[in-house]
Every structure is written in structure tokens, then in C-alpha cells.
Amino acid sequence: MPLVETTPPRALPEIETEGFQRLPVSMGELRRVLGGGIVPGMGVLVGGEPGIGKSTLLLQLAAELANRVGPTLYVTGEESAQQVKLRAQRLGITAPQLYILAEIHLETILQHIETMDPTLVVVDSIQAIYSDALPAAAGNVSQVRECAARLLRLTKAHHIPLFLVGHVTKEGTIAGPRVLEHMVDTVLYFEGERFHSYRVLRAVKNRFGSTNEVGIFEMGEKGLQEVPNPSAAFLAERLPNAAGSAIAVTMEGTRPLLIEVQALTSTTSFSQPRRTANGVEFNRLLLLTAVLTKRVGLRLSDQDVFVNVVGGLRVDEPAADLAVATAIASSVRNVPVPADVVLIGEVGLSGELRSVAHLPRRLQEAANLGFSRAVVPRTGASKLKEDGSTLRLVKARTLSEALEAVLDS
Ligand code: TYD
Ligand code: MG
């Protein structure tokens, strides 16, 4: 059976989009990853490692909609109703219209959804639910798939938005939420280091908005709070003029983000020097150390190199290369990068700086946060006008030129 209602073919102008009014979500960061709000009948998968904050976020969301729109249903398959209540109390949630159902039997859950017809359904988690239709145990791939399909079919028919929680483990994600990605409209993954307070909610699929959008939250005493100005937050603890620190401007979806990259190099006590990457890809770090050695002449063969992105963030973008390489060089030479400089550019194998997308937007964000100089690839910057922004551009052709400009002045 299909997940979407079947109707005869209709001419495009005759299709109504009325039912398509998005439900408001007050947290701007959540609204952003959802593509502007909640669409009736939308199926959302929220994945993430245990303890990252999935239950907290969805309880907050269910409470908000209960207070603003109408009764919502939170199905808890892992915690008791009392545990959910305790969490709600901790969060300061009073929502008379929020209904908690502690149940793992699919057919019973479906029945309650039909009779209650809520504004929103949360199922926490899909791995805890089982159906009589299959002999397999809950959490088994076939159970996960079957339960999700039937929940989606029912909620779509009633235009009820459905949020499914799926646990992802660091190792195998085989029986995890991956198998559901093609069935739902939107897939959100919660990321972050458990011992950091920042959480990144990333849209990896969205039929109702753009993908790659991220929302930034902070886990605190009162649950998840949005971080409306993440660049400023990520730079808040920075020590100006410390060697080994450089500021990159990355794009997360449509939003530029300023982040601090830290590097520490120290003489190794091993025959093989160590490289440790936190928040940047390990192979990217190896590549950059090779370029620094071969093209810049930096001596790294007897140095352990540690690189860390502040705030528990992960940066996959090559545009952060220049900042990573500069942070390493700054640590080796023990010369700080001036505090008013941002570094943007991809580093090629010949040591050349390569242009990156969305340069004007990145520069604007850096200017907004009070930076006064940006080191950028010469190729990409030639088309840029210097006026309009208070930022002075330092155009470099190679990594060596860039390092000279920031470390030798
Ligand atoms: P939780 O939402 O239970 O994670 P998940 O559902 O993804 O497994 O969040 C669990 C963690 O969040 C737990 O370590 C406690 C912490 N936490 C706070 O720091 N503040 C809060 O207000 C709440 C409710 C949880
Ligand atoms: Mg949970």
C-alpha cells in the first residue's frame, strides 16, 4: 500500500495547497531546519546518538504545539509516563493539552491516534515499537520498517505531522534509522559532543525545504535553547593573540558560521609523530600537513599535531583548509594570528589557494562580527568589489603567501 493517499489525476491548478499551511514553531533554529515550520502530514525522522537530546527537543516541541495549536500526543516507548512528567517538570513545561502515552504495541498506538486525532504525534523511539503482524522483536529492521510505514500511512491520511525518534549508534547503524530515510519527508540528525553544550540539528533530507540547513542549540538546565547568533557564541571564549588559533568562515546550508580552529604542535616522543583531528576530517589534516611540509617548508616530521574545532562542531568544508593550515603553522612558529583576521580558502596539493563558494556572504558575516581583515584566495577575490564592506581583503595566491601575510607582519 502506498504511503500517500491515492486520488485520480488532477490538473495542476486544481490541486489545493490550503492544507499546506505550516504550523508555527517558535524556536527559530528549529523552524530553519524544518524549512519554515511544520507541514500537515509531514513525516520527520529525528536521529542521533543516545543522550544527545532528541527526547528533550521533541517534548519541548510537543508542549509548544499543545499550547498554541491543539492537543498533541507523545508516545514514549522507552521511558515511563512518570519519567516523561519529571523531565517536563525540570523543563518548566505546563501543557494541559499534551498527552503522554507509554506504549510499545503498534496496533494500540494506531488506535489511540485515530480516536484522539491530535495536532502532532511524537513516537520516541521507533526502535522500541513492535507490531503483531511480524514475529521479529522490536528494534529489528523489519519491525522498524513496518511500524514506521504504518504510522506514516495513518498520520498522512489524517494530515497529522509525525516525528519519529531513531537512535544512531557510533558503530553499526544497520538496524537504525537509515532504513527509514527514504520513507519520511524530512530527516534531521542531531550532532554534538556529549560533553559540550552545543548541539547541531542538521537537515540531511527535506521535501519541504532546503537540505544542509543546520540549527544550533545549547543544552542547559532548562533543556534546549536556540543559539540565535552562533558565530558570536563560538568565538566567545577565544583568547586573542594565542598562537595556534585561527578563525574560519564555513557555510552551513545558507548560513555562514565563524568558528575557531585550534592547533597544538609539540615535539614527539614517538618514532611516528601523531596526528589527531577533532572536528575536521583526519585525511584532510594529513593532506594539509603534507602541503605544509612540502610546499611551505614547515618542519612537521618530528611534531605531534593536534587540531580541534571549538564548541564540538564538525567542519567538512574545504573552505576551512586555510584556517586549519594557518593554525598549525602559527603553533609551530609560536606566532599568533592577529585577532582581527579571518581565513577563507581551500588548499590545493600544489600549495595553491583555491576559490570557495559564497565568498561575499562569508565576508559579510565576518564584518558583522567585527573582524577587519580577511585572507582570501586571489582567484575568487578578483571579482569582488572592495567597497560596501569594512573588511580589508588580503588576496593570496598560495598558502605560503597567506602565511607570510598573517604570521610575518
Ligand atoms: P535526552 O533528550 O534524553 O537524549 P536522547 O533522547 O537523545 O537520548 O537528553 C539527555 C541528556 O540531556 C541527559 O544527559 C541530560 C541532559 N539534559 C540537560 O542537560 N538538561 C535538561 O534540561 C534535560 C531535560 C536533559
Ligand atoms: Mg530519549
Side-chain angles (χ1 to χ4, degrees):
M1 254 207 334
L3 291 176
V4 186
E5 285 175 279
T6 47
T7 49
R10 280 175 295 170
L12 188 62
E14 283 159 26
I15 299 171
E16 310 124 35
T17 52
E18 241 95 280
F20 219 73
Q21 293 290 335
R22 288 179 190 262
L23 299 177
V25 176
S26 68
M27 264 202 267
E29 293 295 298
L30 184 57
R31 196 165 59 232
R32 158 190 286 275
V33 285
L34 286 170
I38 297 173
V39 176
M42 111 193 271
V44 183
L45 173 67
V46 180
E49 286 172 30
I52 200 82
K54 303 180 293 297
S55 301
T56 306
L57 180 74
L58 293 178
L59 190 64
Q60 288 177 256
L61 177 68
E64 188 200 330
L65 285 187
N67 287 333
R68 293 176 45 175
V69 187
T72 56
L73 179 64
Y74 186 103
V75 181
T76 168
E78 292 175 358
E79 295 167 305
S80 66
Q82 286 75 17
Q83 280 174 303
V84 176
K85 167 90 188 234
L86 283 175
R87 168 176 291 142
Q89 280 174 338
R90 250 191 87 181
L91 296 171
I93 287 175
T94 42
Q97 297 268 71
L98 169 57
Y99 288 81
I100 310 294
L101 173 65
E103 182 59 69
I104 58 171
H105 182 230
L106 176 74
E107 285 74 13
T108 309
I109 296 169
L110 292 174
Q111 224 167 45
H112 284 298
I113 296 175
E114 279 224 80
T115 39
M116 186 184 161
D117 195 22
T119 307
L120 171 98
V121 175
V122 174
V123 175
D124 186 0
S125 70
I126 191 64
Q127 278 119 328
I129 311 296
Y130 80 98
S131 160
D132 287 334
L134 296 172
N140 187 290
V141 186
S142 55
Q143 278 288 9
V144 167
R145 225 188 254 133
E146 168 80 6
C147 292
R150 288 175 62 194
L151 283 162
L152 285 162
R153 199 178 303 146
L154 179 71
T155 50
K156 280 217 186 291
H158 289 76
H159 306 289
I160 304 168
L162 171 68
F163 282 70
L164 297 173
V165 171
H167 294 296
V168 182
T169 50
K170 269 226 164 81
E171 308 81 41
T173 58
I174 314 301
R178 277 277 135 83
V179 299
L180 301 179
E181 283 185 354
H182 67 281
M183 295 166 69
V184 295
D185 302 301
T186 302
V187 178
L188 308 179
Y189 277 108
F190 230 144
E191 301 167 357
E193 299 283 328
R194 212 170 157 166
F195 299 105
H196 279 100
S197 56
Y198 291 115
R199 299 283 182 273
V200 177
L201 191 63
R202 199 180 288 274
V204 297
K205 166 180 174 177
N206 196 351
R207 289 190 184 138
F208 300 110
S210 62
T211 46
N212 297 322
E213 286 297 349
V214 300
I216 316 273
F217 300 86
E218 192 168 9
M219 180 65 95
E221 279 298 301
K222 286 255 175 272
L224 288 156
Q225 304 283 332
E226 61 175 324
V227 179
N229 191 349
S231 292
F234 294 145
L235 300 184
E237 293 177 20
R238 180 180 175 218
L239 287 179
N241 298 318
S245 158
I247 306 300
V249 189
T250 70
M251 292 297 294
E252 292 290 353
T254 55
R255 169 164 60 182
L257 270 187
L258 269 74
I259 49 148
E260 180 184 358
V261 180
Q262 294 182 325
L264 181 67
T265 58
S266 68
T267 306
T268 188
S269 47
F270 301 97
S271 57
Q272 275 265 5
R274 287 194 297 167
R275 273 86 180 92
T276 308
N278 232 328
V280 297
E281 214 197 319
F282 184 68
N283 286 327
R284 205 75 205 162
L285 172 60
L286 292 186
L287 184 148
L288 292 173
T289 51
V291 172
L292 282 167
T293 306
K294 188 100 180 176
R295 308 289 178 198
V296 181
L298 210 63
R299 187 171 154 173
L300 291 169
S301 56
D302 61 348
Q303 297 288 312
D304 289 334
V305 179
F306 303 90
V307 170
N308 181 41
V309 174
V310 171
L313 249 70
R314 208 190 67 211
V315 183
D316 289 334
E317 230 204 348
D321 284 355
L322 180 58
V324 176
T326 305
I328 296 170
S330 159
S331 177
V332 173
R333 295 193 191 160
N334 203 21
V335 176
V337 177
D340 64 335
V341 173
V342 295
L343 298 124
I344 305 166
E346 178 178 350
V347 174
L349 290 181
S350 309
E352 80 279 19
L353 281 191
R354 303 183 150 264
S355 57
V356 300
H358 308 298
L359 192 52
R361 223 178 296 162
R362 295 178 203 257
L363 296 173
Q364 188 56 53
E365 176 76 355
N368 289 348
L369 280 144
F371 287 83
S372 53
R373 279 184 290 166
V375 183
V376 295
R378 179 170 290 169
T379 44
S382 54
K383 292 163 264 157
L384 276 181
K385 287 174 287 179
E386 282 227 27
D387 54 57
S389 163
T390 48
L391 215 58
R392 222 181 76 225
L393 296 183
V394 181
K395 300 171 187 173
R397 213 163 41 83
T398 63
L399 177 55
S400 301
E401 273 182 33
L403 293 178
E404 215 168 283
V406 289
L407 299 179
D408 292 348
S409 48

